[in-house]
Amino acid sequence: MAERASISSRSLLRMKQRGEKIVCVTAYDASFAVQLEEAGVEVLLVGDSLGMVIQGHESTLPVRLTDMIYHAACVARVGKSALRIVDMPFMSYASVGQALENAARLMSEGGAHMVKLEGGRVIAEVVQALTERGIPVCAHLGLTPQSVHQLGGYRMQGRDDETANRMQEDAVLLEQAGASVLVLECIPVDLGRRISAQLHIPTIGIGAGPDCDGQVLVLYDLLGITPGRKPRFSHDFLQHAADVPEALRAFVRDVKEERFPDAEHSFS
Ligand code: KIV
Protein backbone atom coordinates (compact mmCIF):
# COMPACT_ATOMS: atom_id res chain seq x y z
CA MET A 1 0.00 0.00 0.00
CA ALA A 2 1.30 3.49 -0.86
CA GLU A 3 2.11 5.64 2.19
CA ARG A 4 -0.72 8.00 3.02
CA ALA A 5 -0.41 11.36 4.76
CA SER A 6 -1.71 11.34 8.33
CA ILE A 7 -5.39 12.14 8.63
CA SER A 8 -6.24 15.03 10.94
CA SER A 9 -9.43 16.89 11.77
CA ARG A 10 -8.37 19.42 9.11
CA SER A 11 -8.17 16.61 6.52
CA LEU A 12 -11.72 15.55 7.45
CA LEU A 13 -12.93 19.12 7.08
CA ARG A 14 -11.37 19.35 3.61
CA MET A 15 -12.99 16.03 2.66
CA LYS A 16 -16.38 17.44 3.65
CA GLN A 17 -15.71 20.60 1.65
CA ARG A 18 -14.88 18.65 -1.50
CA GLY A 19 -17.72 16.15 -0.99
CA GLU A 20 -15.52 13.10 -0.41
CA LYS A 21 -17.11 10.61 2.00
CA ILE A 22 -15.16 9.78 5.18
CA VAL A 23 -14.79 6.10 6.13
CA CYS A 24 -14.66 5.14 9.80
CA VAL A 25 -14.75 1.70 11.47
CA THR A 26 -14.36 0.70 15.09
CA ALA A 27 -11.05 -0.95 16.08
CA TYR A 28 -10.09 -2.53 19.36
CA ASP A 29 -6.84 -4.40 18.69
CA ALA A 30 -3.59 -4.28 16.69
CA SER A 31 -4.34 -6.96 14.08
CA PHE A 32 -7.62 -5.47 12.91
CA ALA A 33 -6.21 -1.93 13.12
CA VAL A 34 -3.54 -2.90 10.56
CA GLN A 35 -6.12 -4.54 8.27
CA LEU A 36 -8.44 -1.52 8.51
CA GLU A 37 -5.70 0.95 7.63
CA GLU A 38 -4.54 -1.22 4.74
CA ALA A 39 -8.12 -1.31 3.41
CA GLY A 40 -8.13 2.51 3.30
CA VAL A 41 -10.19 3.32 6.42
CA GLU A 42 -9.42 6.92 7.38
CA VAL A 43 -10.75 7.02 10.93
CA LEU A 44 -10.39 4.28 13.55
CA LEU A 45 -12.87 4.61 16.38
CA VAL A 46 -11.92 2.82 19.57
CA GLY A 47 -15.55 2.71 20.63
CA ASP A 48 -16.94 1.74 24.00
CA SER A 49 -19.03 -0.72 21.96
CA LEU A 50 -16.10 -2.95 22.98
CA GLY A 51 -18.05 -3.47 26.19
CA MET A 52 -20.61 -5.40 24.16
CA VAL A 53 -18.66 -6.99 21.29
CA ILE A 54 -15.41 -7.81 23.18
CA GLN A 55 -16.38 -7.99 26.84
CA GLY A 56 -19.86 -9.50 26.41
CA HIS A 57 -21.77 -6.93 28.45
CA GLU A 58 -25.37 -6.02 27.62
CA SER A 59 -24.53 -2.33 27.29
CA THR A 60 -21.55 0.02 27.18
CA LEU A 61 -22.11 1.17 30.76
CA PRO A 62 -19.66 -1.20 32.54
CA VAL A 63 -16.70 -0.12 30.39
CA ARG A 64 -13.95 1.50 32.45
CA LEU A 65 -11.45 4.18 31.53
CA THR A 66 -8.61 1.65 31.94
CA ASP A 67 -10.34 -0.66 29.39
CA MET A 68 -10.45 2.21 26.89
CA ILE A 69 -6.80 3.07 27.51
CA TYR A 70 -5.78 -0.59 27.06
CA HIS A 71 -7.61 -1.03 23.73
CA ALA A 72 -6.66 2.42 22.44
CA ALA A 73 -2.99 1.68 23.14
CA CYS A 74 -3.25 -1.69 21.29
CA VAL A 75 -4.53 0.19 18.23
CA ALA A 76 -2.09 3.11 18.60
CA ARG A 77 0.96 0.83 18.76
CA VAL A 78 0.50 -0.15 15.08
CA GLY A 79 -1.10 3.11 13.93
CA LYS A 80 0.14 4.68 10.72
CA SER A 81 -1.95 7.40 9.13
CA ALA A 82 -5.55 6.95 10.34
CA LEU A 83 -7.07 9.39 12.81
CA ARG A 84 -7.75 7.62 16.12
CA ILE A 85 -10.87 8.69 18.00
CA VAL A 86 -11.35 7.12 21.43
CA ASP A 87 -14.62 7.02 23.38
CA MET A 88 -14.75 8.51 26.86
CA PRO A 89 -16.68 5.87 28.85
CA PHE A 90 -19.88 6.37 30.82
CA MET A 91 -19.64 9.09 33.50
CA SER A 92 -15.95 9.76 32.84
CA TYR A 93 -16.79 13.33 31.69
CA ALA A 94 -19.53 14.31 34.14
CA SER A 95 -17.60 17.43 35.21
CA VAL A 96 -15.05 19.61 33.46
CA GLY A 97 -12.27 18.56 35.85
CA GLN A 98 -13.00 14.86 35.43
CA ALA A 99 -13.20 15.21 31.63
CA LEU A 100 -9.85 17.01 31.40
CA GLU A 101 -8.09 14.47 33.57
CA ASN A 102 -9.56 11.42 31.82
CA ALA A 103 -9.20 12.77 28.26
CA ALA A 104 -5.56 13.54 29.03
CA ARG A 105 -5.02 9.89 30.00
CA LEU A 106 -6.71 8.64 26.82
CA MET A 107 -4.30 10.81 24.83
CA SER A 108 -1.07 10.32 26.76
CA GLU A 109 -1.47 6.62 27.69
CA GLY A 110 -3.89 5.48 24.96
CA GLY A 111 -2.50 7.45 22.02
CA ALA A 112 -5.88 9.04 21.15
CA HIS A 113 -5.87 11.88 18.63
CA MET A 114 -9.43 12.89 19.54
CA VAL A 115 -11.92 11.89 22.23
CA LYS A 116 -15.64 11.17 21.72
CA LEU A 117 -18.37 12.21 24.14
CA GLU A 118 -22.10 11.48 24.01
CA GLY A 119 -24.74 14.11 24.62
CA GLY A 120 -26.20 17.44 23.55
CA ARG A 121 -26.11 20.94 25.04
CA VAL A 122 -25.49 19.51 28.51
CA ILE A 123 -21.89 18.63 27.51
CA ALA A 124 -21.17 21.91 25.63
CA GLU A 125 -19.23 23.35 28.59
CA VAL A 126 -17.06 20.22 28.77
CA VAL A 127 -16.46 20.27 25.00
CA GLN A 128 -15.36 23.89 25.22
CA ALA A 129 -12.99 23.20 28.13
CA LEU A 130 -11.38 20.25 26.32
CA THR A 131 -10.94 22.02 22.98
CA GLU A 132 -9.60 25.20 24.61
CA ARG A 133 -6.86 23.04 26.12
CA GLY A 134 -5.95 21.40 22.81
CA ILE A 135 -7.95 18.18 23.09
CA PRO A 136 -9.96 17.65 19.88
CA VAL A 137 -13.52 16.43 20.42
CA CYS A 138 -15.95 14.29 18.45
CA ALA A 139 -19.52 14.73 19.71
CA HIS A 140 -22.23 12.05 19.42
CA LEU A 141 -25.98 12.72 19.08
CA GLY A 142 -29.08 10.65 18.32
CA LEU A 143 -29.06 7.18 19.82
CA THR A 144 -26.44 7.67 22.52
CA PRO A 145 -25.87 4.15 23.92
CA GLN A 146 -24.60 5.39 27.30
CA SER A 147 -28.15 6.76 27.88
CA VAL A 148 -29.88 3.52 26.85
CA HIS A 149 -31.88 3.30 30.09
CA GLN A 150 -33.11 6.86 29.79
CA LEU A 151 -33.96 6.37 26.10
CA GLY A 152 -35.88 3.19 26.90
CA GLY A 153 -33.82 0.95 24.59
CA TYR A 154 -31.76 1.04 21.41
CA ARG A 155 -34.28 2.87 19.25
CA MET A 156 -34.42 5.54 16.59
CA GLN A 157 -34.21 9.13 17.87
CA GLY A 158 -35.50 12.45 16.45
CA ARG A 159 -38.71 11.04 15.01
CA ASP A 160 -40.94 14.04 15.80
CA ASP A 161 -40.41 17.73 15.00
CA GLU A 162 -39.71 18.73 18.59
CA THR A 163 -36.93 16.20 19.23
CA ALA A 164 -35.53 16.65 15.73
CA ASN A 165 -35.33 20.44 16.12
CA ARG A 166 -33.74 20.10 19.54
CA MET A 167 -31.12 17.72 18.13
CA GLN A 168 -30.36 20.15 15.33
CA GLU A 169 -29.92 22.98 17.87
CA ASP A 170 -27.66 20.73 19.97
CA ALA A 171 -25.52 20.00 16.92
CA VAL A 172 -24.97 23.73 16.33
CA LEU A 173 -24.17 24.34 20.01
CA LEU A 174 -21.60 21.52 20.02
CA GLU A 175 -19.96 22.90 16.87
CA GLN A 176 -19.86 26.36 18.49
CA ALA A 177 -18.33 24.81 21.62
CA GLY A 178 -15.44 23.54 19.48
CA ALA A 179 -16.31 19.97 18.42
CA SER A 180 -14.39 18.90 15.27
CA VAL A 181 -16.59 15.97 14.24
CA LEU A 182 -20.14 14.84 15.04
CA VAL A 183 -21.34 11.23 15.06
CA LEU A 184 -25.07 10.88 14.34
CA GLU A 185 -26.58 7.53 15.31
CA CYS A 186 -29.92 6.04 14.36
CA ILE A 187 -31.91 9.05 13.20
CA PRO A 188 -34.17 9.66 10.16
CA VAL A 189 -32.49 10.31 6.81
CA ASP A 190 -33.98 13.83 6.59
CA LEU A 191 -32.58 14.86 9.94
CA GLY A 192 -29.13 13.47 9.07
CA ARG A 193 -29.26 15.50 5.85
CA ARG A 194 -30.40 18.72 7.61
CA ILE A 195 -27.75 18.58 10.33
CA SER A 196 -24.96 17.69 7.87
CA ALA A 197 -25.94 20.59 5.60
CA GLN A 198 -26.12 23.10 8.45
CA LEU A 199 -22.79 22.29 10.13
CA HIS A 200 -19.33 23.26 8.90
CA ILE A 201 -17.74 20.30 10.69
CA PRO A 202 -18.12 16.79 9.22
CA THR A 203 -20.83 14.42 10.40
CA ILE A 204 -20.24 10.67 10.51
CA GLY A 205 -23.43 8.63 10.44
CA ILE A 206 -24.41 5.19 11.67
CA GLY A 207 -28.00 4.54 10.72
CA ALA A 208 -28.33 8.25 9.90
CA GLY A 209 -28.74 8.03 6.13
CA PRO A 210 -26.53 8.55 3.10
CA ASP A 211 -26.21 12.34 3.37
CA CYS A 212 -23.86 12.39 6.34
CA ASP A 213 -20.29 13.38 5.43
CA GLY A 214 -19.00 9.94 6.41
CA GLN A 215 -20.12 6.55 7.67
CA VAL A 216 -19.08 4.37 10.58
CA LEU A 217 -19.91 0.76 11.43
CA VAL A 218 -18.98 -1.44 14.35
CA LEU A 219 -16.31 -3.78 12.93
CA TYR A 220 -18.00 -6.96 14.14
CA ASP A 221 -21.35 -5.89 12.62
CA LEU A 222 -19.55 -5.22 9.32
CA LEU A 223 -18.11 -8.75 9.45
CA GLY A 224 -21.45 -10.24 10.51
CA ILE A 225 -20.03 -11.81 13.67
CA THR A 226 -21.80 -9.78 16.37
CA PRO A 227 -23.83 -12.24 18.44
CA GLY A 228 -27.61 -11.78 18.70
CA ARG A 229 -29.86 -9.42 16.80
CA LYS A 230 -28.16 -7.30 14.14
CA PRO A 231 -28.95 -3.59 13.98
CA ARG A 232 -31.03 -2.85 10.88
CA PHE A 233 -28.57 -0.20 9.66
CA SER A 234 -25.58 -2.58 9.64
CA HIS A 235 -24.58 -4.87 6.81
CA ASP A 236 -22.50 -8.05 6.65
CA PHE A 237 -19.78 -7.22 4.10
CA LEU A 238 -18.05 -10.58 4.65
CA GLN A 239 -21.02 -12.46 3.22
CA HIS A 240 -19.98 -11.85 -0.39
CA ALA A 241 -16.24 -11.43 0.16
CA ALA A 242 -13.51 -14.07 0.01
CA ASP A 243 -11.82 -12.91 3.22
CA VAL A 244 -11.67 -10.13 5.83
CA PRO A 245 -9.44 -7.73 3.80
CA GLU A 246 -11.84 -7.99 0.85
CA ALA A 247 -14.85 -7.30 3.11
CA LEU A 248 -13.15 -4.21 4.55
CA ARG A 249 -12.23 -2.95 1.07
CA ALA A 250 -15.86 -3.49 -0.03
CA PHE A 251 -17.09 -1.30 2.84
CA VAL A 252 -14.59 1.44 1.98
CA ARG A 253 -15.57 1.29 -1.71
CA ASP A 254 -19.32 1.30 -1.03
CA VAL A 255 -19.07 4.33 1.29
CA LYS A 256 -16.80 6.26 -1.10
CA GLU A 257 -19.06 5.49 -4.07
CA GLU A 258 -22.15 6.37 -2.00
CA ARG A 259 -23.64 2.89 -2.39
CA PHE A 260 -23.81 2.39 1.39
CA PRO A 261 -26.03 3.10 3.22
CA ASP A 262 -28.97 2.50 0.87
CA ALA A 263 -32.66 2.79 1.79
CA GLU A 264 -32.65 -0.70 3.31
CA HIS A 265 -30.02 0.40 5.85
CA SER A 266 -31.57 3.82 6.65
CA PHE A 267 -34.62 5.10 8.52
CA SER A 268 -37.21 7.43 7.01
O1 KIV B 1 -18.85 2.80 20.57
C1 KIV B 1 -19.04 2.79 19.34
O2 KIV B 1 -18.67 1.87 18.63
C2 KIV B 1 -19.73 3.94 18.77
C3 KIV B 1 -20.24 3.81 17.37
C4 KIV B 1 -21.48 3.00 17.39
C5 KIV B 1 -20.45 5.13 16.72
O3 KIV B 1 -19.92 4.92 19.42
Side-chain angles (χ1 to χ4, degrees), residues 167-198:
M167 202 185 303
Q168 194 168 355
E169 283 168 17
D170 280 351
V172 172
L173 290 169
L174 291 165
E175 176 176 83
Q176 286 169 350
S180 305
V181 180
L182 174 65
V183 165
L184 292 171
E185 179 165 352
C186 217
I187 61 171
V189 171
D190 275 358
L191 184 55
R193 181 184 307 125
R194 260 163 55 193
I195 294 177
S196 303
Q198 185 171 12

Side-chain angles (χ1 to χ4, degrees), residues 147-159:
S147 308
V148 61
H149 297 304
Q150 195 167 31
L151 299 177
Y154 297 99
R155 55 182 64 203
M156 192 185 24
Q157 301 297 309
R159 272 176 190 276

Side-chain angles (χ1 to χ4, degrees), residues 34-159:
V34 169
Q35 299 267 336
L36 288 162
E37 286 217 35
E38 284 181 355
V41 173
E42 286 126 355
V43 181
L44 300 183
L45 170 63
V46 184
D48 61 356
S49 50
L50 67 85
M52 299 168 86
V53 298
I54 304 271
Q55 298 175 328
H57 294 298
E58 278 187 0
S59 74
T60 59
L61 304 192
V63 176
R64 294 164 307 174
L65 186 75
T66 46
D67 299 330
M68 296 309 300
I69 293 172
Y70 173 82
H71 287 280
C74 292
V75 171
R77 231 164 264 142
V78 296
K80 287 201 165 75
S81 57
L83 181 78
R84 290 188 299 277
I85 304 182
V86 181
D87 261 331
M88 297 199 70
F90 179 58
M91 282 296 146
S92 66
Y93 48 96
S95 69
V96 166
Q98 212 183 10
L100 288 171
E101 195 175 316
N102 292 331
R105 289 193 65 192
L106 289 174
M107 294 186 91
S108 59
E109 297 171 48
H113 297 136
M114 187 180 284
V115 295
K116 179 162 83 59
L117 282 64
E118 297 181 7
R121 61 197 71 194
V122 69
I123 62 157
E125 186 193 3
V126 169
V127 172
Q128 186 169 349
L130 289 168
T131 54
E132 279 175 355
R133 286 164 180 83
I135 300 176
V137 170
C138 172
H140 184 158
L141 287 174
L143 198 185
T144 44
Q146 292 174 10
S147 308
V148 61
H149 297 304
Q150 195 167 31
L151 299 177
Y154 297 99
R155 55 182 64 203
M156 192 185 24
Q157 301 297 309
R159 272 176 190 276

